[in-house]
Amino acid sequence: MTAVLERPAPAPPAGPAAKVRRLARRVAGPWTYAALIAILAGSAFPVYWSFVVSSQTPDAIDSVPPVLVPGGHLFANIARVFDTTDFALALLNSIVVSGTVTISVVLFSTLAGFAFAKLKFRGRNVLLLLIIGTQAIPTELGIIPLYMMMAEFGWAGEIHAVIVPGLVTAFGVFFMRQYFERAIPDELLEAGRMDGCHSLRLFWHVALPAARPAAAVLGLFTFMQAWNDFFWPLVVLTPENPTVQTALSTLASGYTTDYTLVLTAATIGTVPVLAVFLLFGRQIVGGIMSGAVKG
């Protein structure tokens, strides 16, 4: 009796994470790690230096050699920041602006991106070109008419004058449109329509779950852009109703600048951005990796 030899079952196809690990093993070497460590050190040093200066006395900024070790005056300097300016209101305003703008941009960009990528309607390509074309217009060109509009609405000096103009962005619409174009096959949507799903239900149950990685990346970029926005809040808001960036500008103004005070406020202002990345970092990295690996 001859034994029947069974062929082993084929291995399942490797996912994006496995492909990234294989690629990393091929290109990784001592010089690669040295370059990555140098880039990491160069990127992290300004944040560390701000923390060191914010924990020292004001004369430490001029010391030679420079101080590289944190001191014991951090909490005293934090108290001085909140005593010098209304930094608590600035933090609250920035959190409200950045959070609202991020949620709105992700929601509307996902809806519009799905419509431009998967729905057939007249003038779709022309509208998409018009949206992309708005990115070529310099921001400074629209500041004066935008301020006149906010003043006409009676919103000058109010926080919603910063929120409303940023509720949707051309970059967000184009970014999500490109993601939907690749991520969702048309056959899947046609199968859903044959089962009786309308477009909104297809978006909610099919497109939105598939768009989570890209939405996380877009959300991080939008939050950072809204948090770091300086020019428009400086124009439309008053010093009594600041954001973090305009409050930093107020602290840095005057004949003499207390850099310890300014860098302490800057250190406080980086905490919410770091918290967002720590909370959603896994989804953000997953979204970047899914777009970086093909196949």
Side-chain angles (χ1 to χ4, degrees), residues 2 12 19-20 23 69 79 87-88 95 100 105 108 130 136 155 160 171 186 190 192 196 207 228-229 260 265 293:
T2 59
K19 293 182 180 180
V20 170
L23 181 62
V69 179
F87 207 73
I95 290 173
T100 306
V105 166
F108 289 125
L130 289 175
W155 291 355
H160 38 271
F171 169 78
D186 293 336
E190 291 299 329
N228 295 325
D229 191 16
T260 300
V293 180

Side-chain angles (χ1 to χ4, degrees), residues 90 229-230 233-235 237-238 241-251:
D229 191 16
F230 171 70
L234 181 67
V235 170
L237 296 180
T238 61
N241 192 28
T243 60
V244 166
Q245 307 306 324
T246 56
L248 288 174
S249 174
T250 302
L251 289 174

